Amino acid sequence: KSKAFFHLHSSIKKPILIENKIILQDLEILVDFKNFTNIEITDYQLSEGFNKTKSAYKIIVTFDQKLTTTIAI
């Protein structure tokens, strides 16, 4: 199993997960995944400089051999 990580900027609101699609509402962007086994959205600390971090979101997609990702505006 492999994992793909998509780190988002701290200015982006929490994405919405619907089946195999991620919706970034503030940017009006749709991210579609194919051939995945799991998708999760978690928090992480985005580094803004020395000892300065901000809370942001990352998308973790687990897949077996090949992951197809489509980003639509």
Side-chain angles (χ1 to χ4, degrees):
K1 295 202 180 241
S2 299
K3 291 186 179 183
F5 295 86
F6 300 86
H7 293 80
L8 305 176
H9 189 267
S10 60
S11 65
I12 298 175
K13 294 178 187 173
K14 185 170 185 175
I16 298 170
L17 173 61
I18 301 174
E19 296 177 12
N20 63 323
K21 295 172 178 41
I22 297 282
I23 301 169
L24 305 177
Q25 285 184 324
D26 18 359
L27 301 174
E28 297 180 2
I29 291 177
L30 177 70
V31 184
D32 180 44
F33 298 103
K34 290 187 176 38
N35 305 318
F36 67 94
T37 54
N38 189 44
I39 300 174
E40 60 183 298
I41 300 169
T42 62
D43 295 340
Y44 82 101
Q45 293 299 308
L46 172 67
S47 178
E48 291 194 318
F50 186 73
N51 282 340
K52 293 181 183 181
T53 60
K54 265 192 171 178
S55 184
Y57 296 101
K58 68 179 171 182
I59 303 162
I60 304 171
V61 184
T62 307
F63 62 100
D64 283 326
Q65 296 225 347
K66 179 181 176 182
L67 175 67
T68 303
T69 306
T70 306
I71 301 172
I73 298 175

